[in-house]
Amino acid sequence: MLNKIKRWKNQSSSSELRERMLKIQELQIPSHIAIIMDGNGRWAKKRALPRIAGHHEGMKVVRKITRLANQVGVKALTLYAFSTENWKRPKLEVEYLMKLPEEFLGSFLPELVEENVKVIMMGDKEMLPSHTRNAIERAMEDTKDNTGLILNFALNYGSRSEIIEGIKEVLKDCKNGIIDENELNEDIFSSYLMTKGLNDPDLLIRTSGEIRLSNFMLWQLAYTEFWFTDVLWPDFAEDHFIEAIEVFQNRQRRFGGV
Ligand code: FPP
């Protein structure tokens, strides 16, 4: 057990990186970081590889960044792994993407359990193939009592439909007298969304040079700091993640105040 923790703790490659990691921990670490992991296809294309090779490489980065986030004290990491629009992709690519959670959790789950990481998911589970759903549900069950980093996979997730579903539930509860429409406020509405129980992200990272939200956490990102990078997700390294946190720590958040 001690060896594993040592491996987890000592993974950072250079002393310069370790120093930056220590430094950011002296300041406020964003409690919740959300990431739009973009650029897998372009990464593969540049190497004349099939797109799925980019996704496979991207999965390795998920492992690396999860470890690092846990190490520096991030409380929640939300990863946009598959959107409700991604079903439009070629069948083989979709099938491959649906295999990734199993592959990832198949090898990484014991480490997540040991490192006190809690796996959760947001998105419509019903449409997922049973093998994908089972892998995620097993990880959620095995880590449900963990109290460390929350690793939240956005899988078959779309923010507009999340909001519409939330509104439908609010209307139902108003009709049944469970809530009073005059008392409805932002906090109550937030509890009808898939992120119930999670703080809104403090920092959003999007890789690959695209500057848009792509139907991701539209409600929850209202006051989030955004950090965009041209780096493609499979090339995203520890020092990019640290850089994003450093930039965040130099921003002044006013939440509409002065
Ligand atoms: C967008 O890049 C990326 C995705 C739709 C999939 C992201 C998935 C992973 C990084 C792996 C997930 C891992 C687990 C464990 C679930 P793109 O394909 O749109 O890239 P492109 O814009 O360059 O074509």
Side-chain angles (χ1 to χ4, degrees), residues 36-44 51 54-63 79-83 86 89 93 97 99-105 136 153-155 206 208 210 212 232-234:
I36 303 178
M37 309 178 289
D38 198 6
N40 296 347
R42 277 163 282 168
W43 182 92
R51 291 176 57 80
H55 297 314
H56 192 260
E57 207 58 29
M59 181 188 65
K60 295 190 204 159
V61 178
V62 170
R63 185 189 283 243
L79 302 175
Y80 206 7
F82 193 89
S83 76
N86 287 154
R89 294 184 174 214
E93 184 175 344
L97 284 167
K99 281 190 193 139
L100 285 182
E102 273 166 284
E103 189 179 339
F104 175 81
L105 293 164
I136 293 277
F153 285 106
L155 211 52
R206 183 172 188 151
S208 92
E210 308 294 349
R212 56 175 171 266
L232 305 175
W233 178 250

Side-chain angles (χ1 to χ4, degrees), residues 95-145:
E95 281 174 3
Y96 188 77
L97 284 167
M98 286 297 144
K99 281 190 193 139
L100 285 182
E102 273 166 284
E103 189 179 339
F104 175 81
L105 293 164
S107 61
F108 199 37
L109 184 57
E111 201 172 321
L112 294 173
V113 171
E114 199 159 302
E115 295 302 330
N116 201 22
V117 175
K118 180 173 177 163
V119 177
I120 61 171
M121 137 174 194
M122 63 178 189
D124 181 359
K125 255 198 238 168
E126 299 313 309
M127 272 175 73
L128 298 176
S130 55
H131 60 93
T132 314
R133 200 169 53 230
N134 292 343
I136 293 277
E137 281 176 348
R138 177 168 172 215
M140 287 170 63
E141 176 59 27
D142 288 1
T143 62
K144 69 177 189 308
D145 296 323

Side-chain angles (χ1 to χ4, degrees), residues 33-210:
I33 300 183
I35 309 185
I36 303 178
M37 309 178 289
D38 198 6
N40 296 347
R42 277 163 282 168
W43 182 92
K45 194 172 173 197
K46 268 168 70 179
R47 290 161 178 77
L49 293 169
R51 291 176 57 80
I52 58 171
H55 297 314
H56 192 260
E57 207 58 29
M59 181 188 65
K60 295 190 204 159
V61 178
V62 170
R63 185 189 283 243
K64 195 165 61 182
I65 296 305
T66 302
R67 282 179 174 150
L68 182 58
N70 196 30
Q71 220 174 333
V72 298
V74 173
K75 300 277 182 264
L77 181 66
T78 294
L79 302 175
Y80 206 7
F82 193 89
S83 76
T84 45
E85 288 72 36
N86 287 154
W87 296 107
K88 293 182 216 149
R89 294 184 174 214
K91 190 167 169 274
L92 279 180
E93 184 175 344
V94 169
E95 281 174 3
Y96 188 77
L97 284 167
M98 286 297 144
K99 281 190 193 139
L100 285 182
E102 273 166 284
E103 189 179 339
F104 175 81
L105 293 164
S107 61
F108 199 37
L109 184 57
E111 201 172 321
L112 294 173
V113 171
E114 199 159 302
E115 295 302 330
N116 201 22
V117 175
K118 180 173 177 163
V119 177
I120 61 171
M121 137 174 194
M122 63 178 189
D124 181 359
K125 255 198 238 168
E126 299 313 309
M127 272 175 73
L128 298 176
S130 55
H131 60 93
T132 314
R133 200 169 53 230
N134 292 343
I136 293 277
E137 281 176 348
R138 177 168 172 215
M140 287 170 63
E141 176 59 27
D142 288 1
T143 62
K144 69 177 189 308
D145 296 323
N146 286 356
T147 53
L149 173 74
I150 294 173
L151 178 59
N152 180 25
F153 285 106
L155 211 52
N156 192 22
Y157 171 82
S159 182
R160 286 186 171 183
S161 90
E162 174 193 31
I163 291 170
I164 297 282
E165 290 308 312
I167 291 171
K168 285 186 193 163
E169 289 302 312
V170 167
L171 291 175
K172 222 191 279 170
D173 283 355
C174 283
K175 204 164 137 199
N176 294 331
I178 295 168
I179 55 165
D180 175 348
E181 69 173 80
N182 296 312
E183 282 169 13
L184 182 63
N185 60 27
E186 294 178 11
D187 284 344
I188 294 176
F189 185 65
S190 291
S191 73
Y192 283 82
L193 298 177
M194 290 171 176
T195 42
K196 179 182 176 181
L198 281 179
N199 291 332
D200 289 340
D202 301 289
L203 172 64
L204 170 82
I205 296 172
R206 183 172 188 151
T207 57
S208 92
E210 308 294 349

